[in-house]
Amino acid sequence: DTDSLQIHGYTSAVGDLQTRAAIAKDLNARFNAQVQPEELFIGCGAAPELVAVFQALAVKDAEILAIAPYFPEYKPFVESAGATFRVVSADIPHFQINFEALSEKINSNTVALIVNSPNNPSGTVYTEETLRKLADILGEKSRKFGHPIYIVSDEPYRELTYDGAYVHYIPEIYPNTIICYSYSKVFSLPGERIGYFCVPPCCTDGKKLFAAAAGAARIMGHVCAP
């Protein structure tokens, strides 16, 4: 019957429409994100979403940056996509961003920077000042090299903040931001893996980027999330 099919049948490749609509409604209510369900792809936690996005970004000679300290699986995720993984040295003792090191690392092959705030493993939350300075640098470098440099925002710990720390919705500050999210941490349900990537409407070439990442997920078999 219909109910049985809804419970036991495949979802669409990009994820159940009701689920995507509910997530879009939540993002729009909390952050005025202006996201549509068609800009969300549902997957098995954030990890396969990150891999799909890196696959989409991995044009010839592409380099993707991470800020130390970083989640160590970023390196194989990036390299498996065929891109070069480069590390921006840590800002010690504050663990914000070492902007001098970042500026030195960015070159014409840089396609993206991974941002993980709240951060694993340092626990730091990037301040508004940090994010605005980051946006200025990435915007300047994008203009210099003639192509967008994206932020890939890995956000599994978004709601796990303490002592009044505030996690900014990065597309508000830097439009060329792709969000990868997992519900495993915030709901303490690591066995019930579900997450999404979101390519917001403010993102340059957003529709092409979404299609490329969705296609990469299809090739890897990370589709029809339960």
Side-chain angles (χ1 to χ4, degrees):
D1 59 23
T2 303
D3 289 341
S4 178
L5 287 173
Q6 287 177 343
I7 294 171
H8 300 293
Y10 287 113
T11 66
S12 65
V14 296
D16 178 71
L17 178 58
Q18 286 182 305
T19 302
R20 288 182 285 131
I23 294 169
K25 183 178 179 181
D26 175 65
L27 291 173
N28 295 339
R30 288 197 288 161
F31 309 119
N32 191 29
Q34 301 181 43
V35 168
Q36 300 299 315
E38 295 74 22
E39 291 150 352
L40 289 153
F41 186 103
I42 308 300
C44 185
E49 314 300 18
L50 286 164
V51 174
V53 169
F54 295 154
Q55 292 271 1
L57 292 170
V59 296
K60 186 177 182 296
D61 298 324
E63 297 183 3
I64 296 176
L65 309 182
I67 302 161
Y70 59 87
F71 178 52
E73 289 187 31
Y74 290 155
K75 187 176 190 289
F77 288 172
V78 168
E79 291 178 343
S80 71
T84 298
F85 182 76
R86 289 168 64 85
V87 179
V88 177
S89 58
D91 169 39
I92 299 172
H94 306 293
F95 294 106
Q96 291 290 305
I97 297 176
N98 182 339
F99 288 111
E100 183 178 351
L102 174 65
S103 295
E104 290 175 356
K105 290 285 184 182
I106 297 174
N107 60 58
S108 60
N109 292 326
T110 306
V111 296
L113 169 72
I114 305 167
V115 168
N116 178 215
S117 175
N119 180 262
N120 174 9
S122 74
T124 196
V125 175
Y126 291 154
T127 65
E128 181 176 359
E129 180 183 7
T130 290
L131 292 172
R132 292 201 179 279
K133 187 169 182 178
L134 175 61
D136 289 343
I137 290 172
L138 294 182
E140 176 190 343
K141 296 290 188 179
S142 296
R143 290 186 291 273
K144 177 180 178 180
F145 296 121
H147 64 80
I149 298 173
Y150 295 95
I151 286 177
V152 178
S153 184
D154 181 27
E155 304 185 358
Y157 306 99
R158 164 176 277 284
E159 285 77 23
L160 300 179
T161 58
Y162 307 91
D163 299 327
Y166 180 75
V167 179
H168 290 270
Y169 181 68
I170 297 179
E172 283 185 329
I173 297 172
Y174 188 70
N176 284 333
T177 297
I178 305 154
I179 296 168
C180 294
Y181 188 86
S182 171
Y183 289 97
S184 300
K185 308 296 190 295
V186 67
F187 289 155
S188 296
L189 290 170
E192 301 289 340
R193 295 185 60 78
I194 188 169
Y196 62 82
F197 71 72
C198 175
V199 184
C202 55
C203 221
T204 300
D205 294 327
K207 289 184 178 180
K208 291 181 180 179
L209 189 54
F210 183 93
R218 169 77 277 178
I219 291 167
M220 293 183 292
H222 292 304
V223 291
C224 308

